[in-house]
Amino acid sequence: MRLLLLGAGLVAIMLLAMLAGARGIAPADLAALLGHYDPTDPAQITLLEIRLPRLVAGLIAGAALGVAGMVMQAVTRNPLADPGLLGVNAGAAFSLLLGATLLGRGDAASLSLLTLPGAGLAALAVFSLGGGLAGDAGPVRLTLAGVALNAFLLSLVSLLVLLRRESLDVFRFWVAGSLAEAGQRPLTGLALLALCGIVLALLLAPRLEALSLGGALARGLGTHPGRVLAGALLAVTLCTGAAVAVAGPIAFLGLVVPPLARRIMGTEMRGGLIAAALLGAGLLLLADIAGRLLIPPGEIRAGVMTALLGGPVFLWIARRLRPGEGA
């Protein structure tokens, strides 16, 4: 029932995303606009060529980041774990910017694929530096490793921009995160990548529950922590790479969503992952809608809106942590 209510709420947000904006669309006109294509109708162009791709991109990126955050917090036992805070978003964005700098801007489909190796290497680096590969991951070590990696990657991004001025246009999009260029992304292929990551996370859910109890208890329950961790890394890489390719490095969404999902679904991991996907998609679409409505006809990027929400939540969670919690 709770998942059905979340699904119904997401449908309502999707309808709002198609109707709301600087050029409003009446609900009564929506069915007619979707029923036939008229290239001379400004309202239909706005709906089909601008808002509908943004809607699809928001669903992909939001669901993927919600699931990625849920998986990372489970395997690290760290409520501060997040693809953005732990440098995975930055790794994906840096990989794409490096490829665009060395190979030229190219087409969107080719550049989007570059996010996957960057996300994977960043996730592996954080887990390794934080002791995750040795089964000794604690919240403080992982957070410090992620902050250090994030700062390092951002310094490399700045270096690329200084060396190649033409990289600035690419950087301006990827530094904040936005759904504004969704129509230029290969949404079908990226949706399949995100779906693969989400399905993998759902398949790993029972083992993630065991792993969240700690490495020793997980082994006692017959779980192989190394294999589960490798699968979790792959799921996070697929989800984060797809999300960054669609919308850029959206901050804090993977941090905010998992506590909400756990509050709604309890400790059951599979239901929590589904709730995280629904909540992530809904929150990102709401952030995009708010960004469009606050300063019309301009807009505030969705990544800025999620950071405005996620910053206070991060401080609230950090203040509630007890010394040694999750270590």
Side-chain angles (χ1 to χ4, degrees), residues 41-169:
D41 186 349
Q44 195 165 56
I45 293 173
T46 299
L47 178 64
L48 297 181
E49 298 185 11
I50 299 176
R51 291 186 188 168
L52 197 56
R54 290 179 78 141
L55 169 63
V56 175
L59 292 174
I60 295 170
L65 289 174
V67 169
M70 194 79 174
V71 171
M72 294 190 78
Q73 292 188 14
V75 298
T76 62
R77 293 167 288 139
N78 179 7
L80 298 179
D82 164 76
L85 291 175
L86 296 189
V88 182
N89 278 358
F94 170 71
S95 179
L96 184 142
L97 183 62
L98 179 63
T101 301
L102 297 178
L103 305 176
R105 298 192 65 174
D107 63 284
S110 300
L111 290 180
S112 298
L113 295 177
L114 297 175
T115 61
L116 295 175
L121 290 174
L124 185 61
V126 169
F127 276 97
S128 179
L129 293 171
L133 296 180
D136 187 29
V140 176
R141 291 182 63 183
L142 284 165
T143 303
L144 290 176
V147 169
L149 181 65
N150 209 38
F152 175 67
L153 290 172
L154 288 178
S155 66
L156 291 180
V157 166
S158 300
L159 179 62
L160 285 176
V161 173
L162 290 174
L163 292 177
R164 299 287 296 272
R165 299 288 296 180
E166 59 269 24
S167 300
L168 185 59
D169 290 337

Side-chain angles (χ1 to χ4, degrees), residues 13 17 46 49-63 65 172-174 176-185 187 190 242-250 253 280-292 299-306:
I13 294 171
T46 299
E49 298 185 11
I50 299 176
R51 291 186 188 168
L52 197 56
R54 290 179 78 141
L55 169 63
V56 175
L59 292 174
I60 295 170
L65 289 174
R172 282 187 300 183
F173 170 74
W174 293 105
S178 172
L179 302 180
E181 298 185 15
Q184 301 177 28
R185 309 294 165 207
L187 296 179
L190 294 172
V244 173
V246 167
I250 300 291
L253 194 65
L283 288 177
L284 183 54
L285 288 176
L286 284 175
D288 185 54
I289 294 168
R292 279 187 267 161
E299 68 174 73
I300 302 173
R301 295 192 172 197
V304 175
M305 298 300 298
T306 58

